[in-house]
């Protein structure tokens, strides 16, 4: 059985530890990045967890940090859940390619960090996603099987692909719209995979709420392209390295989808035809309805877990703030980093 690990700050030091209930047990050694931890600390974490070794610290007494560290590749899948494609007027049965894009690794944030909403962004959207942590270098085509996924994926993590929909749709620039700083909160935990965990990955529950209102609630079983197919295809395209992050798409319930449903009611009919990306963009932008999109003061809460409770990637709770508040957050973050 795999274990949960966390990156945290305590007493001015940044450490890694394995998580048991509401405690974290520090792992000996200093690991500057997720890649270094996977190489030098993960095996030690497993031994300690198996023997229930180490002196624990209450999670309430530490600051949980983003377990995915920059710089790294952050590769994302677009429209990889059937329900999400349907809610935005796309036909999942007609999809014949795996859609990839990138987020800047500088968008990484912790599970509790404030998300900074740029002033020019009017349609800030959320997307809870399961993230795959690459565990070994992939420098050429490989064939990945479901039962052998743990040979390539060291662990899994929760992510949120925050998106400036108005920029994404008006300019067609996904990278810009999704790469603002703090637009990729991850963690709090990485679950280190074992072979028996691979079957659980396609039956994880993803939940996200905004100010306590449930918005997304779905299963990874909805994925159109599962992780093994995605990594097989990615290996033909690019090199991947330990510590890289692959986000696997989001289910229905995003603000853009909610507004498409409202648009259908306003025009007095159900949108029964599937739309091109260009037509979809024009409809949403013309509507100009920002209801459901995130605004300053909103609180996002998200979790991913398995039915049997073996896997629980923790809980994210992030508040949306304005740029002015975000600048203070950045200054505080840099000051803490210098101390640590």
């Amino acid at each position: 059985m795999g274990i949960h690990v966390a990156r945290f700050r305590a007493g001015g030091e940044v450490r890694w530890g394995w998580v048991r209930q509401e405690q974290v047990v520090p792992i000996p050694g200093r690991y500057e990045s997720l890649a270094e931890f996977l190489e030098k600390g993960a095996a030690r974490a497993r031994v300690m967890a198996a023997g229930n070794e180490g002196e624990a610290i209450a999670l309430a007494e530490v600051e949980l940090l983003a377990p995915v560290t920059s710089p790294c590749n952050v590769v994302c899948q677009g429209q990889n859940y059937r329900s999400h494609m349907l809610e935005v007027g796309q036909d999942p049965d007609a999809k014949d390619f795996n859609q990839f894009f990138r987020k800047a690794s500088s968008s990484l944030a912790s599970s509790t960090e404030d998300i900074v909403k740029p002033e020019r962004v009017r349609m800030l959207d959320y997307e809870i996603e399961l993230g795959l942590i690459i565990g070994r270098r992939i420098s050429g085509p490989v064939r990945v099987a479901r039962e052998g996924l743990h040979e390539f994926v060291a662990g899994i993590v929760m992510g949120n692909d925050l998106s400036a929909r108005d920029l994404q749709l008006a300019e067609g620039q996904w990278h810009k719209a999704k790469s603002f700083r703090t637009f990729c909160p991850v963690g709090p935990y990485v679950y280190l995979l074992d072979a028996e965990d691979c079957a659980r990955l396609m039956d994880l529950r993803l939940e996200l709420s905004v100010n306590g209102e449930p918005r997304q609630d779905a299963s990874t079983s909805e994925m159109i392209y599962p992780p093994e197919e995605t990594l097989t295809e990615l290996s033909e395209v690019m090199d991947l390295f330990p510590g890289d992050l692959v986000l696997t798409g989001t289910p229905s319930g995003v603000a853009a989808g909610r507004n498409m449903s409202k648009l259908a009611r306003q025009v007095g009919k159900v949108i029964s035809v599937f739309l091109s990306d260009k037509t979809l963009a024009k409809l949403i932008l013309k509507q100009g309805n920002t209801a459901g999109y995130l605004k300053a003061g909103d609180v996002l809460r998200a979790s991913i877990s398995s039915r049997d409770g073996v896997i629980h990637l923790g809980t994210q709770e992030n508040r949306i703030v304005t740029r002015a508040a975000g600048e203070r957050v950045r200054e505080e973050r840099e000051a803490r980093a210098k101390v640590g």
Side-chain angles (χ1 to χ4, degrees):
M1 185 179 298
I3 63 170
H4 298 83
V5 297
R7 178 171 168 259
F8 64 95
R9 180 182 285 108
E13 293 184 321
V14 176
R15 304 287 300 275
W16 288 83
W18 64 276
V19 178
R20 63 182 185 200
Q21 298 178 342
E22 295 302 312
Q23 299 176 317
V24 60
V25 180
I27 300 162
R30 297 291 187 269
Y31 311 102
E32 297 299 323
S33 66
L34 174 56
E36 187 175 348
F37 171 75
L38 293 175
E39 179 186 4
K40 301 176 181 179
R44 176 61 177 154
R46 290 179 182 275
V47 170
M48 291 179 66
N52 199 25
E53 302 174 17
E55 185 173 346
I57 306 172
L59 284 171
E61 297 177 5
V62 306
E63 178 189 0
L64 291 171
L65 305 175
V68 183
T69 56
S70 179
C72 65
N73 286 310
V74 181
V75 184
C76 311
Q77 288 177 266
Q79 298 183 340
N80 194 38
Y81 278 69
R82 295 185 60 86
S83 62
H84 177 51
M85 290 196 70
L86 288 168
E87 75 173 341
V88 295
Q90 304 289 298
D91 182 0
D93 293 321
K95 187 168 185 178
D96 56 2
F97 66 91
N98 204 342
Q99 183 178 6
F100 298 114
F101 59 93
R102 300 280 291 272
K103 286 176 81 83
S105 62
S106 55
S107 68
L108 291 168
S110 78
S111 59
T112 58
E113 194 167 343
D114 288 342
I115 295 166
V116 182
K117 180 179 179 293
E119 293 179 3
R120 62 172 165 156
V121 173
R122 296 174 56 247
M123 297 179 176
L124 180 60
D125 213 344
Y126 49 84
E127 295 185 7
I128 186 174
E129 308 206 6
L130 176 68
L132 312 176
I133 303 296
I134 301 301
R136 55 178 270 193
R137 181 172 181 177
I138 300 175
S139 56
V142 295
R143 179 64 58 181
V144 182
R146 173 77 56 84
E147 60 274 13
L149 195 61
H150 64 290
E151 298 174 8
F152 300 89
V153 176
I156 56 175
V157 70
M158 175 166 46
N160 192 339
D161 176 22
L162 275 293
S163 307
R165 293 292 187 210
D166 39 350
L167 300 185
Q168 179 185 0
L169 296 170
E171 300 179 3
Q173 297 195 72
W174 288 39
H175 181 79
K176 180 198 292 187
K178 293 169 173 282
S179 288
F180 287 94
R181 293 172 186 84
T182 71
F183 270 30
C184 191
V186 290
Y189 309 140
V190 169
Y191 181 79
L192 300 178
L193 290 178
D194 282 338
E196 59 265 31
D197 294 315
C198 296
R200 291 187 175 93
L201 295 194
M202 296 309 294
D203 193 23
L204 298 176
R205 185 180 182 185
L206 301 86
E207 298 178 89
L208 180 143
S209 65
V210 179
N211 301 328
E213 176 194 358
R215 294 286 184 92
Q216 293 185 277
D217 187 349
S219 167
T220 51
S221 61
E222 281 189 41
M223 283 189 195
I224 298 171
Y225 293 96
E228 65 273 14
E229 291 184 30
T230 293
L231 292 183
T232 296
E233 183 173 359
L234 272 179
S235 73
E236 299 174 351
V237 177
M238 65 181 293
D239 289 355
L240 293 167
F241 302 89
D244 284 351
L245 173 64
V246 178
L247 293 174
T248 55
T250 197
S252 63
V254 300
R258 292 162 63 92
N259 279 280
M260 281 298 294
S261 299
K262 292 177 182 177
L263 176 62
R265 290 195 297 270
Q266 287 173 2
V267 299
K269 62 180 180 180
V270 175
I271 299 177
S272 58
V273 296
F274 294 111
L275 309 172
S276 69
D277 288 342
K278 184 176 293 187
T279 302
L280 171 64
K282 287 181 178 179
L283 276 173
I284 294 177
L285 291 171
K286 183 178 180 180
Q287 183 189 22
N289 188 349
T290 59
Y293 290 100
L294 300 171
K295 61 185 182 303
D298 285 348
V299 176
L300 288 164
R301 188 176 175 88
S303 65
I304 297 179
S305 59
S306 61
R307 291 177 184 271
D308 57 13
V310 170
I311 298 174
H312 194 299
L313 301 181
T315 300
Q316 289 189 1
E317 188 167 306
N318 304 91
R319 183 178 298 274
I320 310 301
V321 301
T322 61
R323 179 166 296 280
E327 287 301 317
R328 292 194 297 272
V329 170
R330 181 184 60 80
E331 291 171 0
E332 292 170 0
R333 183 195 222 185
E334 291 175 350
R336 289 196 300 268
K338 289 178 181 178
V339 173

